[in-house]
Amino acid sequence: METIILIVVLCALLGCAVGFLAGLLGIGGGLLIVPILSVILTKFNVIPTDQVVLVAIATSLASIIFTSTSSAKAHHKNDNVPWHIAPWVMLGVAAGALGSGFAAVMLPEKLVRIIFVVSVVGIALKMAWSSRRPPQSTRVIPQGPILAMLTSVTGALSAMIGIGGGALIVPLLTFFSVDMKKAIGCASASGIVIAIFGSFGYIASGSQHVDIEHGFLGFVYLPALFGIVATSWFMAPIGAKATHHLPVTTIKKVFAALLIVIAGNMLMN
């Protein structure tokens, strides 16, 4: 019991950072949750080593359901969700995330880890590079069905590595000249869909490996989920408000720096 309480407390502290960054950057928090929760699960021998990353990803996605909801509500209140394109983005990420949640379970743990690190490094380099470039000419955003096809790829990759999708959706939308704050708001709303459909895949596929008696719902570890959500829900609106006080270039640089740190941590471990 003491071990579970300690895990909940540690995850609550993690949730504070996750919630704030989810609101600020629209990332859902998975880029922080997956590597840090992997360390916690390993430290306390919660699950066999070969399942640690899967449990971290599944729990991350489940927590993002709540974190992204809180963040999206705040962004909607501030008129930062572009509802003329958000439904198409949500449709695409839902389709990609649902299939990915099942597929990731069948991949070797090392391959999932490599996919996570490579994806994060690529995202970081893209964001760092774009923050240094002068504004480009306006690009027209694709029609709804085409946009849904593009975002289905981001949804699949996001669910596979346990992130809310903002790290991929924000660069995609800003590439098509969507305002940075609007892109973050759209990513927050889309993160809910990715998390729901992705979590379903991990819960269904994980039910054969672990059970509720040991604190699991599929591959979702419930004590960790409770700790993260208990604080991230309240911190997300604070992060969303901060987007109104930080310039776009600063947000991009913070985003890139965060991703590089996370990627480095995963490589060293």
Side-chain angles (χ1 to χ4, degrees), residues 114-253:
I114 291 171
I115 292 173
F116 181 91
V117 172
V118 171
S119 300
V120 170
V121 170
I123 293 165
L125 293 176
K126 175 65 174 68
M127 292 299 293
W129 178 61
S130 63
S131 69
R132 293 173 177 271
R133 289 188 304 164
Q136 302 293 311
S137 57
T138 301
R139 300 184 182 92
V140 178
I141 196 163
Q143 295 294 319
I146 298 176
L147 181 60
M149 290 177 62
L150 291 174
T151 55
S152 67
V153 178
T154 67
L157 183 56
S158 297
M160 182 172 290
I161 63 178
I163 65 176
L168 301 174
I169 294 173
V170 171
L172 175 65
L173 294 181
T174 54
F175 175 81
F176 289 112
S177 303
V178 176
D179 176 75
M180 183 68 168
K181 294 182 177 64
K182 299 287 186 182
I184 291 174
C186 187
S188 295
S190 300
I192 303 170
V193 179
I194 292 174
I196 290 174
F197 283 85
S199 294
F200 177 79
Y202 283 103
I203 290 172
S205 58
S207 60
Q208 302 175 1
H209 301 276
V210 287
D211 55 63
I212 193 72
E213 293 181 1
H214 296 94
F216 289 89
L217 181 61
F219 278 121
V220 176
Y221 187 48
L222 298 178
L225 174 63
F226 174 78
I228 293 168
V229 172
T231 53
S232 64
W233 176 271
F234 300 101
M235 292 300 294
I238 297 175
K241 289 182 180 178
T243 61
H244 293 277
H245 305 288
L246 294 173
V248 172
T249 53
T250 299
I251 295 175
K252 285 187 176 183
K253 289 176 181 178

